[in-house]
Amino acid sequence: GNYSGVTVEAKTSSFKFRDYKINLIDLPGTYSLSAYSPEELFVRKQLISSSPDFIINVIDASNLERNLFLTTQLMELDIPIIAALNMHDELLAKGDYFDHKQLGDMLGIPFQPTVGHRNKGVNELFSKVVELYEKQHEPLRRAEIRFVMEIENAIAKISEQMAESHFLKEVISARFYAIKLLEKDKEALQAASRPGFEQVLDSAKYESDNIAAIYHTDTESLIADARYGFIAGALKETYRPGVRKDSFSSVTQHIDRILT
């Protein structure tokens, strides 16, 4: 189904590709790694607990901005990512220009156009997986979203305290978890409420409240705005919508802009 809540479980499959056996775990579709919906929380727990070799981030080419929001969060997990730019045929049919190679170079993530239901680009996608696997010991070069100074300072402080208290049992980026604590993510706060981590919890709450007081808005909104700003800047350099002739679809979009 093409709406949230249809799949809240992992589907697994194994297959051979070249000389490799690939174990594929299909997780529920989600637009973020927050803890607001069952599928978001499930995906996050799976990625953190299983620590996969790779993440194949399936991106809807017809809705880049919304889909890339999840990508900016996945980039903070320190797990290699390959982006499958799916429904690429629809993007081309609209006459849009998208330099996915340039965006991939900017983000440090390889992009592979695919058309899933026609099986186009799938072999090329797994060729990129194998290529990345064979280079797994080379250092990752990935872009990092820089937040306002107060948030960056808070991330550094919380990360240091997490290291001192051995807060992170799983193999996971301290930056990712520090950001979640600053966003007052309920699952992250619950994890920090365990005995022995009082300093981490107190520091996260203090820093979050202090930043909110300075900017007169909550840290979650500030962080989300920074992500969308980063995406907008990246797409401004790599994406250009095609010139569309008026159609029923575009007419309704014009009406929607006024009414909604």
Side-chain angles (χ1 to χ4, degrees):
N2 62 345
Y3 51 92
S4 63
V6 175
T7 309
V8 191
E9 59 182 338
K11 300 287 187 184
T12 60
S13 181
S14 297
F15 60 96
K16 286 192 175 179
F17 184 80
R18 296 187 183 171
D19 296 327
Y20 291 94
K21 179 185 176 186
I22 295 178
N23 300 311
L24 194 67
I25 304 168
D26 181 30
L27 298 177
T30 178
Y31 290 111
S32 81
L33 295 179
S34 302
Y36 291 121
S37 68
E39 58 268 26
E40 286 173 333
L41 189 55
F42 180 83
V43 169
R44 189 164 107 192
K45 284 182 174 178
Q46 285 284 314
L47 291 175
I48 291 170
S49 62
S50 63
S51 188
D53 295 311
F54 301 97
I55 295 170
I56 297 177
N57 179 202
V58 183
I59 294 171
D60 178 355
S62 66
N63 200 343
L64 289 169
E65 185 178 27
R66 188 177 186 189
N67 278 244
L68 286 169
F69 188 84
L70 174 64
T71 308
T72 64
Q73 293 182 320
L74 294 174
M75 285 163 59
E76 287 156 3
L77 284 174
D78 285 346
I79 300 170
I81 303 169
I82 294 172
L85 189 64
N86 202 34
M87 294 161 56
H88 189 246
D89 55 337
E90 292 190 17
L91 183 142
L92 296 176
K94 290 190 295 184
D96 294 355
Y97 168 81
F98 179 43
D99 191 340
H100 59 82
K101 187 178 185 311
Q102 185 187 353
L103 182 64
D105 290 341
M106 287 166 59
L107 301 183
I109 298 170
F111 275 71
Q112 173 58 49
T114 59
V115 183
H117 68 283
R118 292 182 185 166
N119 208 32
K120 284 188 175 180
V122 176
N123 282 339
E124 291 83 354
L125 176 69
F126 285 109
S127 291
K128 279 187 166 68
V129 170
V130 168
E131 185 183 333
L132 207 60
Y133 179 77
E134 291 173 346
K135 294 179 180 177
Q136 62 180 314
H137 299 299
E138 295 180 14
L140 280 173
R141 281 201 224 162
R142 191 178 292 162
E144 187 174 84
I145 298 172
R146 304 300 294 178
F147 302 105
V148 293
M149 181 184 67
E150 291 82 1
I151 291 179
E152 287 296 334
N153 290 341
I155 290 170
K157 286 177 189 174
I158 296 167
S159 297
E160 189 177 329
Q161 286 168 353
M162 285 193 291
E164 288 174 1
S165 63
H166 304 289
F167 175 74
L168 295 176
K169 304 278 187 205
E170 304 96 341
V171 181
I172 183 175
S173 160
R175 182 177 178 86
F176 173 82
Y177 231 104
I179 291 169
K180 286 293 161 210
L181 286 168
L182 284 173
E183 289 177 327
K184 293 190 173 179
D185 178 276
K186 62 182 181 181
E187 284 292 320
L189 290 176
Q190 190 176 344
S193 300
R194 293 172 294 173
F197 306 125
E198 293 84 2
Q199 193 175 2
V200 174
L201 185 63
D202 291 344
S203 177
K205 286 183 175 178
Y206 170 80
E207 295 292 345
S208 185
D209 291 342
N210 184 49
I211 292 165
I214 293 170
Y215 288 95
H216 306 290
T217 188
D218 59 275
T219 50
E220 188 178 16
S221 297
L222 285 169
I223 290 168
D225 286 347
R227 292 191 193 282
Y228 279 119
F230 177 86
I231 293 165
L235 289 179
K236 193 171 184 180
E237 293 187 42
T238 58
Y239 174 75
R240 186 171 64 249
V243 179
R244 291 166 175 71
K245 295 178 181 177
D246 273 348
S247 63
F248 176 77
S249 176
S250 61
V251 169
T252 58
Q253 286 174 1
H254 288 310
I255 296 170
D256 282 350
R257 285 194 191 101
I258 299 166
L259 298 181
T260 65

